[in-house]
């Protein structure tokens, strides 16, 4: 069966696309971009965030980045205005490399109030892990 091309459908789609773009443009005009934290490369610091941040139920932002004391990645938190930046977990590959390291993606907060995420390396087979920890950085465990 041969499909036909309709100029009227194309014009309708174009109008719809312009309406969406105009709405997004109007909506975005009220937004303001500001830097909350600049990541550096000093020893024991976070650098090159590995994902976006999440807003947890405690009102703080949480994320993952490269760097840290062992250069194996970190989990950090910050207030929404950028103040109070703190590394709450510093990944350590350990002597044998089977501890979690290299946070791979963003975090999520589960209904139990814990943060969950994944790493690129570590674990029993050294192929990565799923981990959890409390929002204050305590209770870290590979699951």
């Amino acid at each position: 069966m041969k499909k036909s091309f309709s100029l009227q459908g194309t014009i309708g789609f174009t109008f719809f696309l312009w309406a969406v773009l105009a709405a997004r443009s109007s909506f975005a005009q009220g937004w303001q971009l500001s830097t909350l934290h600049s990541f550096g490369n000093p020893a024991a610091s976070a650098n090159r965030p590995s994902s976006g941040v999440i807003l947890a139920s405690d009102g703080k932002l949480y994320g993952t980045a490269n760097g840290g004391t062992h250069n194996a990645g970190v989990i950090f938190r910050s207030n929404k205005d950028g103040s109070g930046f703190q590394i709450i977990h510093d990944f350590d590959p350990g002597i044998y490399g089977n501890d979690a390291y290299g946070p791979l993606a963003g975090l999520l907060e589960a209904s139990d109030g814990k943060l969950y995420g994944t790493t690129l390396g570590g674990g029993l087979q050294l192929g990565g892990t799923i981990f959890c920890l409390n929002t204050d950085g305590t209770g870290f465990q590979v699951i």
Side-chain angles (χ1 to χ4, degrees):
M1 175 177 223
K2 190 174 181 181
K3 291 196 174 201
S4 63
F5 174 77
S6 166
L7 184 57
Q8 184 177 10
T10 304
I11 293 170
F13 176 75
T14 303
F15 175 75
F16 172 75
L17 185 59
W18 274 104
V20 169
L21 291 175
R24 287 191 70 197
S25 176
S26 301
F27 180 72
Q29 287 177 358
W31 287 55
Q32 182 179 4
L33 178 66
S34 59
T35 301
L36 300 179
H37 181 79
S38 293
F39 290 90
N41 198 13
S45 180
N47 61 65
R48 297 182 321 274
S50 50
S51 66
V53 295
I54 63 163
L55 178 61
S57 60
D58 63 1
K60 295 185 183 291
L61 300 172
Y62 291 84
T64 59
N66 295 307
T69 303
H70 309 284
N71 202 29
V74 298
I75 299 171
F76 63 86
R77 73 176 173 192
S78 170
N79 295 320
K80 289 192 292 185
D81 65 359
S83 66
F85 180 87
Q86 178 184 19
I87 294 173
I88 62 169
H89 184 76
D90 195 349
F91 288 97
D92 181 358
I95 296 171
Y96 302 105
N98 61 353
D99 294 330
Y101 60 90
L104 182 60
L107 302 169
L108 66 85
E109 181 182 25
S111 59
D112 62 3
K114 292 184 179 190
L115 302 174
Y116 289 80
T118 58
T119 62
L120 181 62
L124 296 177
Q125 302 298 318
L126 303 177
T129 67
I130 299 172
F131 64 85
C132 69
L133 75 162
N134 299 315
T135 55
D136 64 358
T138 63
F140 180 87
Q141 62 180 352
V142 172
I143 55 173

